[in-house]
Amino acid sequence: MGEYYPFRKIEKKWQDYWRKKGQFKVKEVSKKKKYYLLEMFPYPSGKLHMGHMRNYVVGDTLARFLRMKGHNVLYPMGYDSFGLPAENAAIQNKAHPAEWTRKCISDMRKQQEKMGLSYDWDRLVVTCQPDYYKWNQWIFLKFYERGLAYKKKAPINWCPSCKTVLANEQVEDGKCWRCESRVEIRNLEQWFFKITEYAQELLEDLEKLEGWPERVKVMQENWIGKSTGTLVNFRLKDSDKVLPIFTTRPDTLYGVTFMTMACEHPLALELVKGTKYEKEVKEFINRVILEDKFTRTAEDKEKEGVFIGRYAINPLTNEEIPIYVANFVLLEYGTGIIMAVPAHDQRDFEFAKKYNISIKQVIIPITDHRSPITDLKEAYVEPGIMLDSAQFSGLNSEEAKGKITTYLEEKRWGKRTVQYKLRDWLISRQRYWGTPIPIVYCKKCGVVPVSEKDLPVELPKDVVFTGKGNPLENCKEFIECQCPRCKGKAKRETDTMDTFVDSSWYFSRYCSPDYTKKPFDEKRIDYWMPVDQYIGGIEHAIMHLLYARFFTKALRDIGLYKIDEPFKRLFCQGMVVKDGAKMSKSKGNVVSVDEITNKYGADTARLFILFASPPEKDLEWNAEGVEGSFRFLNRVWKLVNQLTSYPVTQFKTGKPANRQTGKLSQEEKNLHRITHQTIKRVTEDIEKRFHFNTAISAIMELVNALHLAVNQLTSYPVTQFKTGKPANWQTGKLANRQTIEEAIETVVLLLSPFAPHICEELWKILGNKPSIGQGNWPTYDLKAIIEEEILIVIQVDGKLRSRITVPAKLVGEEIKEKTLADERIKKFISGKKIKRIVVVPKKLVNIVTR
């Protein structure tokens, strides 16, 4: 049998078997209850490491469990294969992105198969293939028809040396990643999806997502950022332009002393163009706009700004208000322009102090007898009494909010409104490796959508990657085309779509990947959707998950869905950590899939990943832990093989190896009880809690109990089963061999979702027909779980003096009687006065005599 179980041979054998049998393929026609299980599909960036594998192993374990529970499980896989890394690789390695991507997908799939992941590969979706991105373009056209796709100016990162647009990831310390030139910000016409049209529904429907982690819902709620307030129109001095601002504090309007504008606001550069302020403002914007938004708006971040040389007019006071661009203002909040009231906002206060701007107090504490604080040390932000606010002076500030807003509405200077922090989704990317946007530009007809019959607009293959500019802009064969309306000369849009478009509906394509009339077959969608369980990282809480929800609602309104939400339940797994840092290639701390599977086998890797930590927590990679998992699987392997060695034919025939028909002994009752307790624990840990680690722990406890029982119930301990001596079942204490048979089969069944290869082999060794994954999940007998007798420890004055076995149903007073009747206890308490007897239910009794 060898020292270790032959995992290489076993794993290849069963992977080949599953593949040949098509064991994981599913159809919509089934009497079983459907279950759609999905992991967030990966970007094919190269070979996988064990950090990646955690996500897939969690999903696969659940898929195998659900199949054994009798569900019709859709469990597919695909690759989110458009994106910047492939294009960068093409520039660096002089390889076409398609070739690089195909190679990465091939490598990743081999590794996924090597880990025994039970995907229905017939449903494979690869987003860079024309038969997929054709439907991205189709959806774009439908959105365009409904006004959900539109074009407007937006800031981009521009490298003047490379003459190209840079993604945020390509900007390092304000410089181009390739040539290290200082990056500039430019405004460029770009395409957007109008996600704000669904802001309120996206917010309200979070309440429907009962199976989502609360922290994800809170993150989305904050990102959508609903605020109820007042829109106030300030006039731009010496211009007919209006500068609308949104505020939740209209009571402070009389205290406005300056205005701040987000660096990203299109007006910021427009208002300084050709002025003496242009150079300084432009440099400030270029520096600030590249900073992380959370960092630059943090409370402890120094408030910075630059005067742009222009003034706004306060509609209530007619005062001229200087305008600044500032680092703490974001385009995502309100209108991207805010009125600044330093007396009543701490950030404004700090900014005003730094730049010597006047501070005007218009609200005072109720107890201050209606006089301003002469020397403000910080902003006063609490409610109070209005001061120096025209006809509103003397009012409570809370009351004044409504009255001032009403006054603004009467004067047509403002109105009550609801604002969202959420902004429309910018989908334009000035890159090659993405879905071409199906729009052409005609001098006669203007902006014209491509006809549906001409989809897909395919990416040209013969392009040159220099790293300078978008390769599509230099591809004459791609750009020059015919106008769909007038048939005259036209030019194609050279922007491609954000890759989040690809991942916003891919889960629906899995339901009918062969369908050619629409993005998906509505009949099959009705059967499978929504996804019952979605698994992925918390880092996707906002962008991907929010966009997927938006797409689902928009496609529902087009008539493709009958559902409102794509994912019923969401599970966010933790990271894999090694040497104190997240496992990643850049940190040089990866453990490759091939390294682990070659040394220990896929089952060991799976078992360690699931046992070492609860899946929602971070997992610390530990070589000793991997060894421990390997030892446990070897122990199970040896135990099953030893139990079936004498004689193999009798273990599953039902014919006795001198079997008796008497009642179960106490030892057998204990093993029977532990077996059914384990079934219950493992089932509930997987099904209700995703606690794979405690489920595995329970299986390990059952293996320990089985090993002990075999030694107690037979003439020869397990270690002697291979000595050549006969396993004399009759002369031992064993009354019914079915108890051990039940326990060992239960171990193999319960372990199989976690370690499928070895369990397939053990299931066959136990005399069963393959496949264990198609079998029935064991059920527990509630009566067997209930303990008939319990062991009670007896102490006298805190020292152990005896143990007694009592019926489990006995209560306190009855246990006391049994305790005092014990002969050994009588000796210890003889001649002593008992002060009290303390009973810890089902555990111990302590007799106190001192």
Side-chain angles (χ1 to χ4, degrees):
M1 191 164 57
E3 188 177 354
Y4 301 120
Y5 81 97
F7 59 85
R8 292 188 188 87
K9 179 181 177 182
I10 288 171
E11 289 176 1
K12 185 179 185 309
K13 168 186 173 181
W14 289 106
Q15 287 165 14
D16 290 344
Y17 176 87
W18 297 330
R19 192 180 302 110
K20 289 174 184 176
K21 292 288 183 180
Q23 187 155 312
F24 309 121
K25 296 178 183 179
V26 287
K27 295 181 178 179
E28 290 70 32
V29 182
S30 175
K31 293 179 181 178
K32 299 178 180 179
K33 184 180 179 181
K34 80 93 180 177
Y35 198 101
Y36 188 176
L37 172 64
L38 186 64
E39 301 130 11
M40 296 179 186
F41 67 167
Y43 181 80
S45 57
K47 289 194 173 184
L48 295 168
H49 56 68
M50 297 313 298
H52 299 125
M53 273 300 170
R54 190 182 193 191
N55 188 33
Y56 312 133
V57 169
V58 167
D60 185 70
T61 300
L62 184 59
R64 290 177 179 277
F65 167 78
L66 289 166
R67 291 189 194 102
M68 293 178 74
K69 288 280 285 183
H71 289 81
N72 189 33
V73 180
L74 172 57
Y75 183 48
M77 175 48 58
Y79 299 97
D80 190 10
S81 47
F82 271 141
L84 190 59
E87 196 161 339
N88 287 342
I91 296 168
Q92 293 166 358
N93 304 323
K94 297 182 180 180
H96 196 282
E99 295 173 12
W100 186 82
T101 301
R102 275 194 296 269
K103 174 69 166 57
C104 290
I105 289 174
S106 175
D107 290 343
M108 289 175 72
R109 178 168 174 173
K110 287 174 184 175
Q111 289 180 305
Q112 287 171 315
E113 290 177 336
K114 200 171 184 179
M115 286 293 289
L117 304 178
S118 58
Y119 298 125
D120 181 351
W121 287 107
D122 284 359
R123 295 175 181 263
L124 179 67
V125 165
V126 179
T127 61
C128 66
Q129 293 178 346
D131 64 353
Y132 182 83
Y133 69 72
K134 167 184 178 177
W135 301 113
N136 282 347
Q137 296 169 343
W138 185 91
I139 291 168
F140 178 96
L141 295 177
K142 294 302 177 184
F143 282 10
Y144 186 76
E145 289 172 11
R146 298 175 66 87
L148 292 176
Y150 68 95
K151 201 171 190 184
K152 71 172 183 178
K153 281 189 176 182
I156 50 91
N157 305 319
W158 177 260
C159 175
S161 176
C162 295
K163 292 183 171 54
T164 189
V165 176
L166 301 176
N168 289 335
E169 304 93 310
Q170 294 177 310
V171 179
E172 299 173 356
D173 297 325
K175 297 178 181 178
C176 172
W177 69 286
R178 191 167 183 273
C179 70
E180 296 188 350
S181 297
R182 178 62 60 181
V183 173
E184 298 176 357
I185 303 301
R186 292 189 179 182
N187 283 321
L188 191 71
E189 288 278 338
Q190 300 187 77
W191 287 96
F192 289 79
F193 281 158
K194 202 172 185 181
I195 190 174
T196 52
E197 188 84 4
Y198 289 86
Q200 185 60 31
E201 188 182 354
L202 287 167
L203 186 63
E204 290 175 351
D205 283 0
L206 287 171
E207 294 183 8
K208 296 179 180 179
L209 303 176
E210 296 178 359
W212 281 42
E214 193 60 32
R215 59 176 176 158
V216 174
K217 292 193 284 185
V218 169
M219 289 169 75
Q220 289 210 3
E221 182 179 353
N222 292 338
W223 189 261
I224 295 167
K226 181 180 180 180
S227 297
T228 301
T230 305
L231 194 70
V232 186
N233 293 320
F234 285 66
R235 288 183 294 108
L236 181 65
K237 184 184 176 183
D238 300 327
S239 171
D240 57 358
K241 286 184 182 295
V242 172
L243 303 176
I245 65 95
F246 173 77
T247 181
T248 58
R249 295 293 307 274
D251 53 324
T252 64
L253 266 163
Y254 286 90
V256 176
T257 59
F258 66 100
M259 181 178 280
T260 49
M261 182 180 291
C263 292
E264 295 89 347
H265 200 291
L267 278 177
L269 291 174
E270 182 182 323
L271 294 178
V272 297
K273 191 172 183 180
T275 72
K276 65 179 182 179
Y277 301 96
E278 183 176 13
K279 183 175 184 295
E280 184 183 9
V281 170
K282 199 170 184 180
E283 288 176 353
F284 178 78
I285 288 174
N286 286 341
R287 175 170 62 84
V288 171
I289 208 168
L290 297 173
E291 293 180 16
D292 176 76
K293 291 179 180 180
F294 293 101
T295 301
R296 76 187 231 207
T297 57
E299 287 187 13
D300 58 351
K301 174 74 174 178
E302 184 182 0
K303 311 302 180 284
E304 296 181 282
V306 176
F307 178 53
I308 69 170
R310 301 298 295 268
Y311 294 84
I313 307 298
N314 187 332
L316 289 181
T317 66
N318 216 35
E319 294 174 340
E320 294 182 6
I321 310 299
I323 304 172
Y324 291 75
V325 287
N327 64 343
F328 60 89
V329 184
L330 297 179
L331 190 63
E332 288 82 3
Y333 182 76
T335 63
I337 307 173
I338 65 171
M339 66 181 204
V341 189
H344 305 294
D345 182 277
Q346 188 59 31
R347 288 190 309 180
D348 297 348
F349 181 85
E350 293 172 17
F351 191 92
K353 285 289 188 182
K354 179 173 182 176
Y355 293 103
N356 199 27
I357 303 171
S358 63
I359 298 174
K360 183 181 178 183
Q361 189 177 3
V362 293
I363 300 173
I364 57 173
I366 295 172
T367 57
D368 278 7
H369 307 292
R370 305 194 179 188
S371 59
I373 301 170
T374 55
D375 185 21
L376 278 175
K377 301 298 183 185
E378 61 182 3
Y380 177 73
V381 297
E382 302 301 324
I385 300 300
M386 300 290 289
L387 177 76
D388 293 337
S389 299
Q391 67 267 37
F392 306 104
S393 295
L395 292 177
N396 181 286
S397 60
E398 292 299 306
E399 180 187 358
K401 288 180 180 179
K403 290 186 178 295
I404 291 174
T405 300
T406 299
Y407 181 69
L408 289 167
E409 288 178 326
E410 290 171 354
K411 294 290 186 178
R412 297 187 177 180
W413 294 337
K415 63 179 180 178
R416 289 174 173 83
T417 189
V418 173
Q419 286 274 343
Y420 297 92
K421 192 169 72 174
L422 179 68
R423 288 293 176 262
D424 283 339
W425 174 9
L426 192 161
I427 67 157
S428 280
R429 296 293 182 269
Q430 294 73 37
R431 315 298 309 176
Y432 166 79
W433 195 235
T435 300
I437 293 175
I439 290 289
V440 302
Y441 299 97
C442 174
K443 288 184 178 180
K444 181 180 177 181
C445 305
V447 179
V448 184
V450 173
S451 174
E452 285 184 27
K453 66 179 178 61
D454 294 327
L455 298 181
V457 176
E458 292 195 36
L459 284 171
K461 294 175 182 174
D462 296 328
V463 291
V464 179
F465 295 92
T466 63
K468 294 187 177 184
N470 180 352
L472 293 177
E473 293 176 342
N474 301 314
C475 184
K476 185 177 178 181
E477 294 77 9
F478 178 78
I479 294 175
E480 294 180 358
C481 63
Q482 189 180 69
C483 174
R485 287 184 188 159
C486 69
K487 308 305 179 186
K489 290 183 179 180
K491 290 188 175 182
R492 290 195 190 280
E493 171 65 76
T494 56
D495 283 1
T496 54
M497 296 186 201
D498 179 9
T499 55
F500 277 117
V501 173
D502 307 337
S503 58
S504 292
W505 69 279
Y506 77 104
F507 42 85
S508 295
R509 187 65 181 171
Y510 284 138
C511 298
S512 51
D514 58 342
Y515 199 60
T516 58
K517 296 179 180 179
K518 287 183 180 179
F520 40 79
D521 180 356
E522 286 136 84
K523 288 183 179 179
R524 285 185 271 180
I525 279 288
D526 290 345
Y527 177 83
W528 288 114
M529 288 293 289
V531 174
D532 293 284
Q533 181 68 63
Y534 200 33
I535 302 171
I538 191 72
E539 66 272 17
H540 299 294
I542 295 171
M543 310 296 280
H544 162 56
L545 290 170
L546 191 63
Y547 293 153
R549 295 181 64 220
F550 159 60
F551 254 59
T552 300
K553 295 175 188 301
L555 294 177
R556 172 204 62 197
D557 292 346
I558 291 171
L560 294 182
Y561 284 131
K562 293 178 183 175
I563 57 172
D564 299 323
E565 292 288 340
F567 314 119
K568 284 175 69 175
R569 286 180 291 276
L570 173 69
F571 181 81
C572 297
Q573 88 284 353
M575 298 184 300
V576 176
V577 175
K578 186 172 182 285
D579 304 328
K582 177 184 176 182
M583 191 177 285
S584 68
K585 292 178 185 176
S586 62
K587 292 185 173 63
N589 64 345
V590 301
V591 177
S592 77
V593 172
D594 295 337
E595 175 189 343
I596 294 298
T597 54
N598 289 340
K599 187 174 182 180
Y600 298 105
D603 286 339
T604 294
R606 292 169 63 109
L607 196 69
F608 169 73
I609 286 172
L610 297 168
F611 179 60
S613 171
E616 72 276 11
K617 303 290 185 183
D618 289 351
L619 182 156
E620 180 73 39
W621 188 265
N622 182 296
E624 290 78 15
V626 177
E627 287 278 0
S629 296
F630 186 55
R631 285 195 301 272
F632 172 72
L633 291 179
N634 274 284
R635 187 181 183 203
V636 174
W637 174 263
K638 290 175 182 178
L639 184 60
V640 172
N641 277 275
Q642 287 168 342
L643 285 173
T644 56
S645 295
Y646 296 99
V648 175
T649 55
Q650 291 185 5
F651 198 76
K652 287 295 295 180
T653 61
K655 296 178 181 178
N658 293 313
R659 177 181 294 173
Q660 298 175 359
T661 57
K663 293 182 179 180
L664 293 179
S665 66
Q666 187 59 47
E667 289 86 352
E668 289 175 316
K669 287 179 182 178
N670 289 339
L671 181 59
H672 184 62
R673 174 175 50 77
I674 293 169
T675 299
H676 285 264
Q677 285 176 335
T678 305
I679 295 170
K680 184 175 186 293
R681 284 178 60 188
V682 173
T683 303
E684 292 178 354
D685 280 347
I686 297 175
E687 202 165 43
K688 296 180 180 181
R689 294 180 283 269
F690 263 48
H691 287 181
F692 300 126
N693 58 321
T694 54
I696 294 169
S697 179
I699 297 169
M700 289 176 172
E701 290 174 20
L702 177 56
V703 170
N704 289 338
L706 178 60
H707 201 284
L708 181 64
V710 169
N711 281 319
Q712 289 177 335
L713 299 175
T714 63
S715 299
Y716 299 97
V718 171
T719 53
Q720 293 184 11
F721 271 24
K722 292 301 289 180
T723 61
K725 298 177 181 179
N728 190 344
W729 294 93
Q730 185 180 18
T731 57
K733 299 178 184 177
L734 183 61
N736 190 335
R737 189 174 177 179
Q738 280 184 317
T739 309
I740 286 184
E741 182 179 317
E742 175 193 45
I744 194 62
E745 285 198 349
T746 298
V747 166
V748 176
L749 285 165
L750 297 182
L751 188 60
S752 65
F754 306 98
H757 307 88
I758 189 174
C759 290
E760 285 279 19
E761 189 70 15
L762 293 176
W763 190 242
K764 184 180 177 184
I765 289 171
L766 288 171
N768 299 287
K769 293 181 179 179
S771 160
I772 192 172
Q774 304 293 73
N776 292 321
W777 186 256
T779 56
Y780 59 87
D781 179 356
L782 196 56
K783 292 181 180 178
I785 292 173
I786 300 171
E787 296 181 60
E788 295 178 1
E789 292 184 328
I790 53 175
L791 183 67
I792 298 290
V793 172
I794 305 175
Q795 296 177 343
V796 177
D797 296 324
K799 294 184 179 180
L800 176 64
R801 297 305 186 191
S802 184
R803 293 183 178 89
I804 59 172
T805 301
V806 300
K809 63 184 180 181
L810 287 191
V811 293
E813 290 303 320
E814 295 170 315
I815 292 175
K816 288 180 184 179
E817 290 178 13
K818 286 278 187 182
T819 299
L820 295 174
D822 184 75
E823 291 299 326
R824 282 167 293 184
I825 294 302
K826 285 180 181 180
K827 293 179 182 179
F828 282 108
I829 62 175
S830 177
K832 295 180 180 179
K833 184 178 180 181
I834 298 174
K835 290 184 177 181
R836 63 182 181 276
I837 301 176
V838 180
V839 178
V840 179
K842 296 189 177 183
K843 289 187 178 179
L844 67 84
V845 175
N846 185 27
I847 303 171
V848 181
T849 65
R850 296 172 186 171

